[in-house]
Amino acid sequence: MEKSQENSPIPEKDPEKQEKKKGKKKIQLERTRTAFERLQLAWIRTCLTMLTIGVGSYEYFYNRIESGKAPLLNLITGRELGLFLILSSFTMLLLATIQHSKNMGSLRKTYPDMRFSVALLLSYLLLALSFFLGVMVVLKFGYHVNV
């Protein structure tokens, strides 16, 4: 019987090769996770820039009106431009955060040892900030341009 076991077609697996394969797979999954993080951080940077420009334009046009100067544009006011940029920033970041959550959820199925996404936490904080800024701009009374 020993002879038949020696000639069996099933090759024995080398534990060293198995461990090396697991290590490579883990590195590939970690690279995927960091790519998702970098993508989310790029969306955060873009939305933060839009949010900053929105608040800046709102303040610039508001201070211009407060000082008694005529608005630069008659078609659109600084409040409208600021509100548009703030709401666009909120919408873009919301969609990017939903996409990031789905991607990280599908990755977690194959890589359960994955670390928590810090970019996701930062996204939630920025979403809350842009939401409250948008509400503040919408509820701001006394800023009416009479042209």
Side-chain angles (χ1 to χ4, degrees):
M1 286 211 181
E2 290 180 25
K3 219 174 193 185
S4 65
Q5 287 178 353
E6 288 177 5
N7 295 333
S8 65
I10 303 172
E12 296 211 14
K13 303 210 176 194
D14 186 14
E16 195 175 300
K17 284 186 178 180
Q18 290 289 340
E19 196 63 34
K20 197 173 184 181
K21 244 184 176 178
K22 285 181 184 177
K24 284 184 179 181
K25 180 70 173 174
K26 189 171 182 178
I27 289 172
Q28 288 174 347
L29 291 171
E30 189 63 27
R31 284 181 182 159
T32 303
R33 186 194 69 79
T34 56
F36 287 151
E37 290 285 313
R38 283 192 307 271
L39 178 64
Q40 185 64 16
L41 289 171
W43 278 111
I44 289 171
R45 181 186 62 230
T46 303
C47 293
L48 187 61
T49 302
M50 286 181 63
L51 187 67
T52 304
I53 293 171
V55 170
S57 67
Y58 178 79
E59 283 297 314
Y60 174 75
F61 286 107
Y62 182 76
N63 289 336
R64 190 168 171 84
I65 297 300
E66 286 289 312
S67 65
K69 297 179 181 174
L72 293 176
L73 302 171
N74 292 331
L75 183 62
I76 187 168
T77 65
R79 180 180 183 201
E80 293 165 348
L81 179 63
L83 184 60
F84 172 75
L85 288 171
I86 291 169
L87 292 180
S88 296
S89 170
F90 177 80
T91 305
M92 284 174 48
L93 188 58
L94 181 65
L95 294 175
T97 303
I98 291 170
Q99 178 188 18
H100 182 70
S101 296
K102 286 182 180 180
N103 289 340
M104 295 301 266
S106 66
L107 184 61
R108 189 171 299 279
K109 291 176 186 172
T110 57
Y111 184 33
D113 298 336
M114 183 174 64
R115 290 183 261 160
F116 179 74
S117 174
V118 178
L120 193 60
L121 179 65
L122 186 59
S123 296
Y124 290 147
L125 291 173
L126 194 56
L127 278 170
L129 175 69
S130 62
F131 176 77
F132 288 121
L133 282 174
V135 168
M136 287 173 53
V137 170
V138 167
L139 297 179
K140 178 75 176 177
F141 296 109
Y143 176 53
H144 300 286
V145 179
N146 296 326
V147 180

